[in-house]
Amino acid sequence: MLTFQKLTSIVQGHVVQSVQPLPVVHLLTDSRKLSQPAGTLFFAIRGKYNDGHKYLPQLYQQGVRAFVVEQGEDEELKQQYPEASLLRVDNSLEALQKLAAWHRAKFRIPVIGITGSNGKTIVKEWLAQLLSPDELVVKSPRSYNSQLGVPLSVWQMEQNHTFAIFEAGISQPGEMEKLQQVIQPTLGIFTNIGSAHDEGFTSHQQKAAEKLKLFKDVNLLFYCADHALVHEAVQAQGINAFTWARTQAADITVTATTTVGHKTIVVYTWQGVKQRLAIPFTDEASVENALHCLAVLLYRNLPLSEIQDRLDRLHPVAMRLEMKEAINGCYLIDDTYNNDLAGLAIALDLLANQPQRGKRTVILSDLLESGLPEEKLYRQVAELVQARGVERLIAIGEKISKYSSLFSIPVVFYFSTADFLSQFNPASFRDELILVKGARVFEFEKIVQAFQQKVHGTVLEVNLDALVYNLNYYRSKLAPDVRLMVMVKAFAYGSGSSEVANLLQFHRVDYLAVAYADEGVQLRENGITLPIMVMNPSPDSFTKLRQYNLEPEIYSLEQLQAYVASLSGAATYKVHLKLDTGMHRLGFTEEDFEVLFSLLKQYPQVQVMSAFSHLAGADEAVHNDFSQLQIQQFIAMANTVEEQLGYKVMKHVLNSAGIVRFPEHQLDMVRLGIGLYGVEATGAEQEALRPVSVLKTTVSQVKKVKQGDTVGYSRKGVADSDKTTATIAIGYADGYDRRFSNGIGHVIIHGQRCPLIGNVCMDMCMVDVTEIDVKAGDEVTVFGPQLTLVELAKRIGTIPYELLTNVSTRVKRIFYSE
């Protein structure tokens, strides 16, 4: 375990104060992302726009007790932070990098470093998907490829990981050497060289040479030999390489690419044998990224059939070049992630390759990272958009607006995103394919929202910031050494398993739990490497459990006998024992113990990771005495398990409600479920949580109904006066319970509550909007902050869990950070 005292020898510097041997578990550079104060080391970094030192008092008050700082007098720091360990260094960022490099050096696993001008993040994400059946992959979150992001990525490495993929980006000379020391890649991928961040380099040759410094010690470098600058630089430095190319001699020679439907058929020669592969994308950017991945898979000697199977399951990476439905029959290509010239060309290729959907429109901001003289830059832009068949250009920014004379296609100029949005007329866009491409500073996501806000009939919006807030709220209640298991069963309580699990993995929870093996497999195939407990495994899933490194809950003698009968070899098989202490649902009783321990001793390769039980009434004070009896019985039974096995196991009995009501019994681990998703099961601390999910739909049609008319199936809705009704696009097939029929349920339109009239139908229902000005397309909130799950559950005599988990998978999930 890393302690603050050991830290001083790793990063060096001046020890201002060392109060106790505190463990260093979490690294923090952003005060807003504090999760568990105990074990957190904060690096006060003075950035271009912010200074981390100003957040020291806040973090100290929140419980952080270890800091790396660049400034402050010893006595002043001691007086202000008497219980904190403090290390002063010349440069906090460099200290962070040194610590990450030390951490990286502890591992002897393959590590791929990826750099290049475009495609780093997508190649990283796809490789992680493609390797996940064989490896437990740790990778950079999102696009953490900067001087700050890379060390935070590498710090994620754990002993259970078998493979790592980190991307590295630079904007000026001298940066890559530092990232190389942090990543220490054993393998490398150089995607391409383009104009991104040109302004920091004197030439593309210099930029290629600088990027190649990441690979100075790699065993092998993968790249496309058709990229002449990259190829020449690699050859000049004599780096051992594995290449693919269309026009050059290479290890993999691509002889033909043909678009067939939504796939690209690639014919290539590998080790003298011609092979054929279908890539499930047609744009040039995706094809090139997929070929980088193909090179790695062939190097690993995967059979072609297996490569094809994995490629077929490959899904696009959000953030870049994502196609989205929009208003009035339009489709968006959302490429608000980068806006260099090469990226524009690739995005325009994608635009041009789509089936004709009416007019092709581009919304483009100033290009800020080209390194070219402005007139030359925008002349090239004008040539590109014309060559790709763009029929309308909406140009936003003061720079591009100066060169209106260069464009021969219809073009409208705006000085800012705000100017465009203030004049935005949805009716002027219909049945178009629209590429939205802008630099981050232009906040083009607001434009995307304007095009999307009323298009999806029914969506569940999941606020990831709120989810992290709730996670941290529960973590704040835990003792420093208590582990955290989080429930992501039932599609993460309806919120979306993979997306939530990825977030939890980034925030370093200790365990995940799912109900069935297939849920765990899906998480593994989406890059989740955390330990996963499967709570209801069946004998026919035992092989999958082992294949995907999933840990079954064992709750009966029959199940254990079936499990051990399926084992082969001397490998270690991790399981969790469920003990029945009064729930009487699943679990071993003391009467089972003799046979249970006899079986476990016969099969020493079965390692019991934890023993646990479930409280039947933790959410209600009336059951306190029973809950305490359960806890005491569990502790006694778990102690017997340890005595019989001869080794320690993790013990856990508290669920979300138990964390709040029985903090003295946290034991080794707690299980967080519904609380993560914004419902405090006891009701006592509901105000402390943030709602995570908002279910929204839209008004399909507005009708006038005369007094005495009936509404809906079975004529259950009767108008007691002349009314205006709105049909909304949600029904019981979307998970909206029929018990909300006939005035029991309400929805929110324009901030006002509207009661249901008539029965809930399969795909829609009707609400009374007599007192409100409503039109088709208006937004409807089904549940959210103004109409909570807790209230709605009470209306129909159920619990919030049911409403949340009932939201159908056909309802689109939108994940966002505020």
Side-chain angles (χ1 to χ4, degrees):
M1 178 180 292
L2 176 64
T3 64
F4 187 87
Q5 286 69 23
K6 189 171 184 178
L7 169 74
T8 60
S9 64
I10 296 169
V11 305
Q12 302 173 342
H14 167 66
V15 179
V16 176
Q17 182 170 265
S18 181
V19 295
Q20 53 183 314
L22 296 171
V24 174
V25 181
H26 310 287
L27 305 186
L28 183 69
T29 62
D30 185 341
S31 63
R32 297 168 300 178
K33 297 181 179 179
L34 176 64
S35 56
Q36 192 170 356
T40 289
L41 173 64
F42 179 68
F43 288 81
I45 296 173
R46 288 185 290 186
K48 185 175 181 181
Y49 302 109
N50 212 345
D51 186 353
H53 293 84
K54 67 182 181 182
Y55 300 106
L56 295 180
Q58 169 194 331
L59 290 168
Y60 184 78
Q61 186 177 12
Q62 291 175 307
V64 177
R65 291 296 181 265
F67 299 92
V68 175
V69 300
E70 297 178 9
Q71 61 192 37
E73 297 296 328
D74 286 10
E75 292 307 315
E76 182 181 337
L77 289 169
K78 290 178 183 178
Q79 184 176 359
Q80 193 170 4
Y81 312 109
E83 298 178 5
S85 295
L86 297 132
L87 179 68
R88 188 168 62 243
V89 298
D90 293 333
N91 187 301
S92 294
L93 177 57
E94 291 181 3
L96 172 66
Q97 293 170 341
K98 288 179 182 178
L99 178 58
W102 169 84
H103 182 70
R104 162 66 184 92
K106 296 191 299 181
F107 297 87
R108 297 291 181 268
I109 63 174
V111 176
I112 291 184
I114 304 177
T115 195
S117 296
N118 300 101
K120 297 184 293 294
T121 300
I122 294 176
V123 171
K124 175 202 68 186
E125 296 291 339
W126 283 358
L127 263 184
Q129 290 180 49
L130 293 165
L131 295 176
S132 62
D134 309 317
E135 307 285 0
L136 293 177
V137 181
V138 57
K139 60 183 176 65
S140 309
R142 298 182 182 176
S143 55
Y144 275 38
N145 57 32
S146 66
Q147 298 292 301
L148 178 62
V150 166
L152 294 177
S153 299
V154 169
W155 186 254
Q156 295 181 108
M157 296 179 75
E158 301 276 12
Q159 291 302 322
N160 64 319
H161 291 130
T162 62
F163 209 96
I165 310 173
F166 302 118
E167 56 175 306
I170 60 173
S171 57
Q172 60 187 17
E175 291 183 335
M176 192 60 87
E177 292 97 332
K178 297 175 182 177
L179 299 186
Q180 190 278 333
Q181 292 168 19
V182 175
I183 297 175
Q184 302 167 38
T186 60
L187 299 168
I189 297 176
F190 199 143
T191 59
N192 51 49
I193 199 77
S195 58
H197 299 292
D198 269 1
E199 64 274 14
F201 303 93
T202 58
S203 66
H204 281 190
Q205 287 83 353
Q206 183 198 29
K207 184 161 64 172
E210 287 290 327
K211 287 180 178 290
L212 270 179
K213 291 179 180 178
L214 177 62
F215 309 120
K216 72 182 187 71
D217 295 324
V218 297
N219 300 322
L220 198 65
L221 173 62
F222 299 90
Y223 70 95
C224 175
D226 290 331
H227 293 296
L229 281 177
V230 176
H231 186 57
E232 292 168 6
V234 172
Q235 295 296 305
Q237 294 190 27
I239 299 173
N240 191 28
F242 187 108
T243 60
W244 68 271
R246 292 183 174 92
T247 62
Q248 306 289 327
D251 296 285
I252 303 169
T253 304
V254 178
T255 56
T257 57
T258 307
T259 300
V260 179
H262 299 294
K263 296 185 177 182
T264 299
I265 308 301
V266 178
V267 180
Y268 62 92
T269 301
W270 156 245
Q271 293 183 335
V273 178
K274 181 175 286 189
Q275 297 181 338
R276 182 178 180 274
L277 196 70
I279 294 173
F281 305 99
T282 58
D283 62 285
E284 180 57 31
S286 295
V287 172
E288 180 169 311
N289 292 333
L291 288 171
H292 289 309
C293 297
L294 172 65
V296 175
L297 298 180
L298 289 175
Y299 166 73
R300 288 169 60 88
N301 294 316
L302 261 72
L304 179 61
S305 60
E306 178 66 18
I307 293 175
Q308 184 64 73
D309 180 61
R310 295 187 188 185
L311 281 173
D312 289 341
R313 290 182 280 121
L314 204 59
H315 58 75
V317 178
M319 303 186 303
R320 299 189 181 191
L321 298 174
E322 183 176 356
M323 189 83 71
K324 301 175 179 179
E325 288 185 328
I327 56 175
N328 302 330
C330 295
Y331 280 79
L332 292 184
I333 297 175
D334 182 359
D335 193 23
T336 57
Y337 187 75
N338 70 82
N339 79 327
D340 63 280
L341 195 59
L344 175 61
I346 293 173
L348 287 169
D349 280 339
L350 175 61
L351 180 73
N353 291 336
Q354 297 307 307
Q356 186 70 42
R357 290 189 176 95
K359 187 183 295 183
R360 286 189 170 94
T361 298
V362 172
I363 303 176
L364 180 68
S365 78
D366 287 344
L367 273 68
L368 303 180
E369 301 174 346
S370 71
L372 296 173
E374 284 185 7
E375 183 173 357
K376 182 178 181 181
L377 168 65
Y378 291 110
R379 188 177 298 279
Q380 291 188 28
V381 170
E383 292 170 354
L384 277 172
V385 296
Q386 183 171 347
R388 298 303 193 277
V390 174
E391 297 163 78
R392 174 168 62 165
L393 176 66
I394 296 170
I396 299 177
E398 296 184 8
K399 294 181 179 179
I400 194 171
S401 298
K402 292 190 297 185
Y403 299 96
S404 58
S405 61
L406 299 176
F407 295 89
S408 58
I409 63 173
V411 58
V412 181
F413 293 92
Y414 298 88
F415 280 101
S416 69
T417 302
D419 289 341
F420 170 78
L421 290 173
S422 68
Q423 301 177 55
F424 178 63
N425 178 13
S428 64
F429 297 87
R430 184 169 298 278
D431 299 322
E432 298 179 42
L433 188 60
I434 305 167
L435 169 63
V436 182
K437 188 167 183 61
R440 287 183 177 180
V441 295
F442 283 87
E443 298 182 314
F444 268 19
E445 64 271 15
K446 295 179 180 178
I447 294 177
V448 173
Q449 290 167 6
F451 276 97
Q452 287 193 288
Q453 60 186 359
K454 295 181 181 178
V455 64
H456 301 294
T458 305
V459 298
L460 184 72
E461 295 182 348
V462 181
N463 185 336
L464 298 179
D465 294 329
L467 192 145
V468 173
Y469 179 90
N470 296 339
L471 173 68
N472 293 339
Y473 168 75
Y474 283 98
R475 270 183 161 163
S476 71
K477 293 180 172 294
L478 304 183
D481 57 346
V482 175
R483 297 187 182 189
L484 182 62
M485 174 184 282
V486 180
M487 304 290 116
V488 291
K489 61 181 180 176
F491 200 47
Y493 289 68
S495 298
S497 302
S498 299
E499 296 83 0
V500 171
N502 269 304
L503 189 70
L504 295 171
Q505 181 164 272
F506 178 65
H507 285 275
R508 300 170 69 85
V509 304
D510 300 288
Y511 257 90
L512 299 177
V514 297
Y516 298 103
D518 285 347
E519 294 177 313
V521 169
Q522 191 259 346
L523 293 180
R524 287 283 184 252
E525 290 180 341
N526 281 277
I528 301 302
T529 61
L530 287 171
I532 299 174
M533 181 175 78
V534 178
M535 303 183 74
N536 196 15
S538 58
D540 60 3
S541 71
F542 289 161
T543 300
K544 271 191 176 180
L545 293 176
R546 293 189 286 273
Q547 180 184 354
Y548 287 91
N549 193 29
L550 305 172
E551 302 172 15
E553 167 189 320
I554 302 295
Y555 50 77
S556 71
L557 294 174
E558 295 82 1
Q559 186 195 36
L560 178 58
Q561 288 165 344
Y563 184 71
V564 297
S566 72
L567 302 180
S568 61
T572 298
Y573 303 100
K574 299 176 181 179
V575 302
H576 301 258
L577 296 184
K578 178 70 172 287
L579 307 180
D580 186 358
T581 59
M583 179 80 166
H584 298 319
R585 184 173 61 179
L586 296 173
F588 293 99
T589 63
E590 290 178 318
E591 289 73 21
D592 299 318
F593 274 12
E594 183 178 350
V595 178
L596 168 65
F597 298 131
S598 175
L599 266 173
L600 289 173
K601 289 172 183 176
Q602 289 178 46
Y603 293 89
Q605 67 268 43
V606 176
Q607 180 183 2
V608 177
M609 298 301 295
S610 81
F612 69 103
S613 190
H614 197 83
L615 301 180
D619 53 345
E620 295 181 275
V622 68
H623 301 304
N624 275 5
D625 290 344
F626 187 75
S627 295
Q628 291 288 357
L629 284 173
Q630 277 196 276
I631 292 169
Q632 295 309 316
Q633 183 180 354
F634 168 72
I635 292 173
M637 293 175 73
N639 287 340
T640 300
V641 169
E642 290 184 328
E643 291 168 6
Q644 290 291 326
L645 294 178
Y647 58 84
K648 292 288 185 183
V649 302
M650 290 182 291
K651 296 180 282 293
H652 48 110
V653 70
L654 298 186
N655 54 9
S656 295
I659 295 170
V660 172
R661 305 194 67 249
F662 306 107
E664 70 277 16
H665 296 302
Q666 294 176 2
L667 305 178
D668 301 307
M669 185 159 65
V670 298
R671 302 188 302 274
L672 178 58
I674 193 68
L676 179 71
Y677 306 97
V679 178
E680 204 285 281
T682 74
E685 301 187 20
Q686 182 61 51
E687 295 302 314
L689 299 181
R690 293 181 180 175
V692 169
S693 300
V694 178
L695 182 60
K696 294 181 178 180
T697 188
T698 57
V699 173
S700 300
Q701 188 177 21
V702 177
K703 283 183 173 291
K704 297 293 184 181
V705 177
K706 294 186 180 298
Q707 182 178 359
D709 285 354
T710 59
V711 178
Y713 283 120
S714 302
R715 304 185 68 194
K716 292 295 185 182
V718 180
D720 55 10
S721 62
D722 289 351
K723 290 185 179 297
T724 303
T725 65
T727 302
I728 62 175
I730 189 169
Y732 57 78
D734 302 297
Y736 192 59
D737 202 295
R738 289 189 80 247
R739 287 173 289 180
F740 287 123
S741 300
N742 300 305
I744 302 298
H746 290 75
V747 297
I748 303 289
I749 304 178
H750 298 322
Q752 298 189 47
R753 294 190 172 216
C754 306
L756 266 72
I757 180 168
N759 281 336
V760 175
C761 309
M762 179 181 287
D763 306 299
M764 61 196 73
C765 52
M766 288 65 73
V767 296
D768 186 346
V769 294
T770 304
E771 304 300 325
I772 310 173
D773 181 18
V774 176
K775 62 182 183 301
D778 282 352
E779 182 179 272
V780 180
T781 298
V782 181
F783 62 69
Q786 292 178 274
L787 191 58
T788 67
L789 285 165
V790 174
E791 177 190 337
L792 290 173
K794 288 179 180 177
R795 283 179 173 269
I796 60 172
T798 186
I799 56 177
Y801 299 66
E802 181 180 357
L803 299 185
L804 197 53
T805 58
N806 275 357
V807 178
S808 169
T809 54
R810 84 175 188 176
V811 173
K812 180 180 177 64
R813 270 70 175 172
I814 296 178
F815 299 89
Y816 69 96
S817 295
E818 294 175 332

